[in-house]
Amino acid sequence: MHATADEVRGLSDLLEQLRARPCETALLCDIDGTLAPIVEQPEDATVPVAARDVLAELSRRYLLVACVSGRRAADARRMVGVEELTYAGNHGFELLEPGATELVADPAVGGRSGAAAAFVGALESADLDRGGLMLEDKGAIQALHWRRASDPEAARALALSISDAAQRAGLIPRWGRKVLELRPVSGIDKGSATAKLLRGCGARLALFGGDDATDLDAFQALSWLLRSGRLEAAARIGVGSEEAPAGLAERTDVIVDGTEGFLDVLRYLAENRAA
């Protein structure tokens, strides 16, 4: 998926604004499918050394560099391997500040932190196995994956039925790339996490890069912050793939070619303007 000449020029103009004012700029991005290529087994995913090096360099020059991930915050930090970044994990349910050893849970979860785990605990594990669904315990969020299912359509059908039951039980189902997440409360997502991080650091310019359906919330948040005047400029970078969600092109300024394309964006932002 290639950007047009006009999109490339427009992106260059946007990035130049950010690069000219690093002390007022926040750089945020997803991890899986954005920094790290998607793999069959999520636990095998890695962020390439080249991306780690660029992120470390950016963290020394920009107001904020953060990863907003569906993974748990501690897992996200281990995967990226750059302690100087801020990590909003579990789509914003968790926050891990640079160098911190204790994560901060969003207080909006309240007494509902165990609701999703209780729901999936009542499901028959044998039925999940036969249906090709793999359960991932993410604390407040429970995730059902079927990337390795022998029959993906049957696995998705089972996930749909579980989603309906979870909704009746008061949980919030959210869909990603071959994954269904069950959340205990509404109102916390990558959009709310992005807005909260930007308010906290006082950024006037921002970038978000993402590839998945859950990243659409972050792009929407940037659009709202622009319209309301809370941001002067924002770059919404979609990361293209065969599994790109509907609406990605409409909510972004440009779509780049996979993780390598996004790494090129980060490299541009890390360049010395005086060179």
Side-chain angles (χ1 to χ4, degrees):
M1 191 176 299
H2 298 280
T4 66
D6 285 344
E7 286 173 331
V8 169
R9 282 192 295 272
L11 178 60
S12 296
D13 291 343
L14 270 173
L15 297 184
E16 186 55 33
Q17 290 184 63
L18 275 56
R19 193 170 66 163
R21 297 165 61 184
C23 293
E24 300 174 79
T25 298
L27 307 176
L28 304 92
C29 66
D30 172 44
I31 298 176
D32 291 275
T34 300
L35 293 175
I38 295 292
V39 295
E40 287 300 314
Q41 300 187 43
E43 62 271 20
D44 292 338
T46 59
V47 173
V49 173
R52 295 181 183 184
D53 291 344
V54 174
L55 288 167
E57 174 63 23
L58 291 168
S59 72
R60 291 188 283 270
R61 295 172 52 187
Y62 284 80
L63 176 63
L64 172 73
V65 180
C67 291
V68 184
S69 174
R71 292 179 182 262
R72 302 203 70 169
D75 293 337
R77 178 191 276 177
R78 281 193 295 270
M79 183 177 175
V80 176
V82 183
E83 292 237 352
E84 296 85 355
L85 306 189
T86 296
Y87 293 90
N90 260 351
H91 305 281
F93 279 77
E94 302 174 346
L95 182 67
L96 197 56
E97 299 281 3
T101 57
E102 297 289 333
L103 63 82
V104 178
D106 193 302
V109 176
R112 295 275 296 163
S113 60
F119 173 84
V120 299
L123 300 175
E124 291 291 339
S125 59
D127 291 340
L128 296 179
D129 291 341
R130 280 194 298 271
L133 296 180
M134 181 185 73
L135 176 64
E136 179 187 6
D137 180 1
K138 297 167 61 179
I141 294 178
Q142 300 292 304
L144 294 165
H145 300 265
W146 60 92
R147 183 164 295 278
R148 287 180 279 176
S150 57
D151 187 343
E153 291 304 316
R156 179 174 172 79
L158 177 57
L160 278 167
S161 67
I162 292 173
S163 172
D164 291 342
Q167 201 161 15
R168 291 194 296 272
L171 298 175
I172 312 301
R174 289 298 301 268
W175 298 87
R177 291 171 67 165
K178 297 186 178 180
V179 60
L180 167 66
E181 291 188 338
L182 304 177
R183 305 181 184 185
V185 296
S186 62
I188 303 175
D189 54 34
K190 288 188 178 182
S192 64
T194 294
K196 192 173 184 179
L197 287 169
L198 294 178
R199 285 197 303 270
C201 71
R204 295 298 298 151
L205 306 97
L207 173 147
F208 189 92
D211 70 302
D212 202 352
T214 57
D215 298 313
L216 300 180
D217 295 322
F219 294 131
Q220 187 170 356
L222 286 192
S223 298
W224 180 83
L225 291 168
L226 276 172
R227 290 194 301 270
S228 64
R230 288 169 172 80
L231 286 177
E232 294 178 29
R236 295 155 292 196
I237 313 297
V239 180
S241 74
E242 293 181 356
E243 299 176 359
L248 185 65
E250 290 76 16
R251 296 199 193 180
T252 56
D253 299 298
V254 68
I255 295 182
V256 298
D257 283 332
T259 56
E260 280 298 322
F262 187 68
L263 180 55
D264 286 341
V265 170
L266 297 182
R267 285 176 172 141
Y268 181 88
L269 291 168
E271 288 177 2
N272 188 340
R273 296 184 69 244

